[in-house]
Amino acid sequence: MAKHKTPLLDQLESGPWPSFVSDIKQEADARAKNEKGLDYQIPVDCPDDLLGVLEMSYTDGETHWKHGGIVGVFGYGGGVIGRYCDQPQMFPGVAHFHTVRVAQPNGKWYNTELLRNLIKIWELRGSGLTNMHGATGDIVFLGTTTPQLEEIFWELTHDLEIDLGGSGSNLRTPATCLGMSRCEYACYDTQELCYNLTQEYQDELHRPAFPYKFKFKFDGCPNGCVAAIARSDLSFIGTWKDPIKVDQEAVAAYVGGEIAPNAGAHAGRDWGAFDIQKEVVDLCPSNCISYEDGKLAIDHKECVRCMHCINTMPRALKVGDERGCSVLCGAKAPILDGPQMGSLLVPFMEVNKDDDYQAIKDLIENIWDWWMEEGKNRERIGETMKRLGMAALIDAAGVPVDARQVQEPRHNPYIFWKAEDVEGGWDRDINEFRKRHQR
Amino acid sequence: MAFISSGYNPDKPMEGRISDIGPRHFGEYLPPVIKKNFGKWDYHEIIEPGILLHVAESGDKTYTVRAGTARLMSVTHIREICEIADKFSGGYVRFTTRNNLEFQVETEEAAKELKTYLNGQTFPGGSHKFPVGGTGAGVTNIVHTQGWVHCHTPATDASGTVKATMDVVFDDFQNMKLPAPVRISMACCLNMCGAVHCSDIAILGIHRKPPIIDHQYLDNLCEIPLAVAACPTGAVRPSKVEIDGETYKTVAIKQERCMFCGNCYTMCPSLPLSDGEGDGIAIMVGGKISNRITKPAFSKVVVPYVPNEPPRWPTMTKVIKKILDTYAEDANKYERLGDWANRIGWERFFEKCELPFTEHLIDDFRDPAYYTWRQTTQFKW
């Protein structure tokens, strides 16, 4: 029997898409029955009260959650987000309802043993409700009380050897595509680099020392499945330098209709027979592909590695062998100064596990040193870049200036020349000047 | 309720403490075929909606069955996922960046059997638990934020708007008949935890009323300089007010400068701006992440405001469906939604999608606005 009437939410139980309302109700029932006889460590009826408070929001069109205040585990500045209900008398089960961010395995692969162990903790000590996963990538445990936080952290670290994720003005939990684990396009091992940097920067992840949040994301190729270029302060996007490898027999199989283009992604509609000229050659953004006499040719010097031809004919075309990543800096959502896409800082970097990715770490630390010195409170690095200029970032990062870093050269001639750029420097003698020019 | 100790001793918080260990290594959780062929995949195919085949250089094959989820999921639900994984996929399961589930199986028959099984699982209320789809040229799961379920700054709900939208576009989740993938994203306020600013279609919660000032409490709850500094347009300044003969240190707000971003509220809980009438949703379109053919692009606001209409947001879903259907009918194969709009021209986009163009759609926020105005006589009647 539901604790609160939820006529509006009940309407979200119908329709084909999975209903979060039905699921929360399912959890409310399970907790009420408590077949396992658990001694729940937070109110048993918290899912009921969550539905109650949500129904109230549906009725009056406003949230009923308050600012979090300072909650967390000892020694960490991030990982827990405080949350309190603004109608605690009506919904005591969720009066205190903090979120815990838990570090996910990179690529979000799980076995059921790990999942069961995670939910065992959360069933006993939390609401039994989660987000799998939050937008940044963490496992998100929704709703517990302050006395449980250290207990949860203890069990996560001692029993599962898993840590909390990041929140606040920290390095946020780095996120990666599934990379080489199941994708033929991955130009470097995104998961291993993500794991290595996550471990390297645990201190930055847990103790706020930055002007604002900082995100790393790792995309194995320019298709960008974790949206690094749009969401991360530093994006590592796989790329290559040498020619795309072409298997002419497989090209012929695509042309002949034996293999469906684009891995079959368009199978739901009759688009007609595959037309290699129209669908590949004419769509190449740098016009570097030709198809003549049954042979596909790519002028690889002109290729911009957009992935279209490879995506369209994955069995015929493969990324090159000289692989690494491009590094882009400064992406963010619009708050506060408008949206920013990551800007290309390093066109090509080797991703070298053998030296523990030292070149990448040097780059990161140069950038952080500059941002921690120059960045204002609550200023993302993209905004610092905008304020102080791309050239300042390039200089601070210690990377070479490169035409690839810009879309086009500057439109204005207001160049901030430095004294050392100019012959004779800036110190001049007014008396010498007056010898040539009367007052 | 007796308190159950984990072993943590509050009197000696550092004793036996383990910290800064990070996540477990992903290698522990890879299914055997994935582990064996790591970095040695040759190609992939989409066998049918929701089923992928990956073939390794070794000749090994693995079939992936992909299913949507509500993202917000209970431990009971996760236990069901574990049971499915144990029964069908050797005890392994993966979550995608867009909150889908993926199970690896060995044969096409097993994949189809699993697809049938997953599609057969329903909640008592009637909805699917694990609908299979989300591949290829279709709509996949909507990434979203917390909304009214758990956030203190939202202008709308997230789970509800997503459920309402996915119900309306469900056919395109289970099929692959669009010109290209369409990525729908949802963020419940301008903070955009969901980063919807580069999505084909974005649902964005917005406020439209300036903050209310809780004068009598503000100085106790907030650092006034932080609240002042938080405002990107300089609309907030320190001030004093007299209430019932008592003087309070507080702030004053130049309301015409407010862009309703909520940043002041994030810094100062005494400046709430939520409002049942003022809040609602903006719809943005034409963004993308991928570098394929065209460059990554920002989403553009095409509907400045639709009201919150819980539980099913019918105005919002009607607009989304109209945009999606018009795009599906009009765009070329491989052409993303924003590329289609760029090709036909945005004036034509509004005409075809039957959306009014209003003054609110002309950018007036700082320098980037200039780059959105038209500096040519090339336009369409």
Side-chain angles (χ1 to χ4, degrees), chain A residues 55-121:
Chain A
E55 178 76 13
M56 195 180 203
S57 284
Y58 271 53
T59 305
D60 57 28
E62 294 171 4
T63 191
H64 285 286
W65 297 101
K66 292 204 288 184
H67 265 271
I70 308 280
V71 288
V73 301
F74 194 74
Y76 278 15
V80 181
I81 297 99
R83 191 66 77 227
Y84 301 92
C85 182
D86 70 5
Q87 295 293 350
Q89 291 82 9
M90 294 172 75
F91 309 105
V94 294
H96 299 230
F97 210 61
H98 313 317
T99 298
V100 182
R101 290 187 184 164
V102 179
Q104 82 286 5
N106 298 146
K108 303 191 184 85
W109 292 98
Y110 291 86
N111 62 20
T112 52
E113 184 194 353
L114 176 63
L115 277 176
R116 285 199 174 97
N117 285 334
L118 284 163
I119 63 178
K120 195 175 158 200
I121 296 175

Side-chain angles (χ1 to χ4, degrees), chain B residues 64-140:
Chain B
T64 306
V65 182
R66 181 180 294 172
T69 76
R71 187 185 86 143
L72 195 169
M73 52 179 75
S74 70
V75 296
T76 302
H77 193 63
I78 296 170
R79 202 168 285 119
E80 288 180 300
I81 293 168
C82 290
E83 280 157 21
I84 294 166
D86 282 343
K87 188 172 166 194
F88 290 91
S89 59
Y92 295 92
V93 60
R94 192 179 93 86
F95 292 80
T96 73
T97 303
R98 300 194 76 92
N99 311 315
N100 296 296
L101 292 169
E102 288 185 339
F103 301 93
Q104 301 302 136
V105 296
E106 286 174 13
T107 63
E108 191 170 333
E109 293 69 43
K112 289 183 176 170
E113 190 196 338
L114 177 54
K115 178 173 173 176
T116 306
Y117 180 83
L118 291 169
N119 278 335
Q121 303 300 303
T122 54
F123 283 110
S127 74
H128 283 280
K129 285 184 173 176
F130 311 107
V132 174
T135 51
V139 169
T140 191

Side-chain angles (χ1 to χ4, degrees), chain B residues 35-71:
Chain B
K35 195 161 199 161
K36 181 184 164 204
N37 296 289
F38 193 96
K40 294 179 187 134
W41 294 100
D42 188 15
Y43 68 91
H44 76 281
E45 283 172 22
I46 304 169
I47 301 292
E48 59 179 62
I51 301 181
L52 302 152
L53 161 66
H54 285 83
V55 181
E57 287 162 7
S58 65
D60 287 352
K61 289 181 177 180
T62 183
Y63 292 83
T64 306
V65 182
R66 181 180 294 172
T69 76
R71 187 185 86 143

Side-chain angles (χ1 to χ4, degrees), chain A residues 370-436:
Chain A
W370 177 74
W371 182 51
M372 295 208 293
E373 183 72 28
E374 302 288 349
K376 295 181 188 174
N377 184 38
R378 282 174 73 74
E379 184 178 64
R380 292 284 287 268
I381 196 168
E383 290 156 334
T384 315
M385 282 166 69
K386 224 165 138 186
R387 187 163 55 80
L388 299 177
M390 182 74 183
L393 172 75
I394 291 167
D395 185 43
V399 299
V401 173
D402 194 312
R404 293 166 191 84
Q405 287 158 337
V406 296
Q407 193 64 42
E408 58 191 23
R410 63 195 304 151
H411 294 185
N412 62 71
Y414 308 140
I415 301 163
F416 288 94
W417 296 106
K418 295 187 185 72
E420 59 265 32
D421 295 331
V422 188
E423 295 76 9
W426 284 352
D427 288 334
R428 288 179 291 165
D429 184 340
I430 189 67
N431 295 322
E432 286 298 312
F433 183 80
R434 287 300 167 213
K435 284 180 191 167
R436 305 192 300 275

Side-chain angles (χ1 to χ4, degrees), chain B residues 52-243:
Chain B
L52 302 152
L53 161 66
H54 285 83
V55 181
E57 287 162 7
S58 65
D60 287 352
K61 289 181 177 180
T62 183
Y63 292 83
T64 306
V65 182
R66 181 180 294 172
T69 76
R71 187 185 86 143
L72 195 169
M73 52 179 75
S74 70
V75 296
T76 302
H77 193 63
I78 296 170
R79 202 168 285 119
E80 288 180 300
I81 293 168
C82 290
E83 280 157 21
I84 294 166
D86 282 343
K87 188 172 166 194
F88 290 91
S89 59
Y92 295 92
V93 60
R94 192 179 93 86
F95 292 80
T96 73
T97 303
R98 300 194 76 92
N99 311 315
N100 296 296
L101 292 169
E102 288 185 339
F103 301 93
Q104 301 302 136
V105 296
E106 286 174 13
T107 63
E108 191 170 333
E109 293 69 43
K112 289 183 176 170
E113 190 196 338
L114 177 54
K115 178 173 173 176
T116 306
Y117 180 83
L118 291 169
N119 278 335
Q121 303 300 303
T122 54
F123 283 110
S127 74
H128 283 280
K129 285 184 173 176
F130 311 107
V132 174
T135 51
V139 169
T140 191
N141 203 342
I142 300 180
V143 288
H144 64 95
T145 57
Q146 302 277 22
W148 291 333
V149 167
H150 209 221
C151 181
H152 65 290
T153 63
T156 186
D157 190 34
S159 304
T161 53
V162 166
K163 163 73 174 152
T165 303
M166 285 307 290
D167 278 345
V168 167
V169 303
F170 190 70
D171 185 43
D172 285 312
F173 175 79
Q174 292 209 312
N175 290 288
M176 305 187 293
K177 53 189 186 178
L178 297 175
V182 171
R183 300 292 184 239
I184 309 179
S185 308
M186 193 286 153
C188 53
C189 82
L190 295 186
N191 204 44
M192 283 199 192
C193 302
V196 305
H197 58 295
C198 296
S199 307
D200 293 283
I201 299 178
I203 302 165
L204 176 64
I206 56 160
H207 302 290
R208 293 186 308 160
K209 294 190 188 181
I212 317 171
I213 310 173
D214 203 349
H215 291 298
Q216 288 169 284
Y217 293 86
L218 191 139
D219 192 33
N220 296 324
L221 284 168
C222 319
E223 296 284 344
I224 288 174
L226 286 181
V228 170
C231 182
T233 61
V236 182
R237 65 174 193 278
S239 178
K240 284 180 184 168
V241 294
E242 196 166 297
I243 300 170

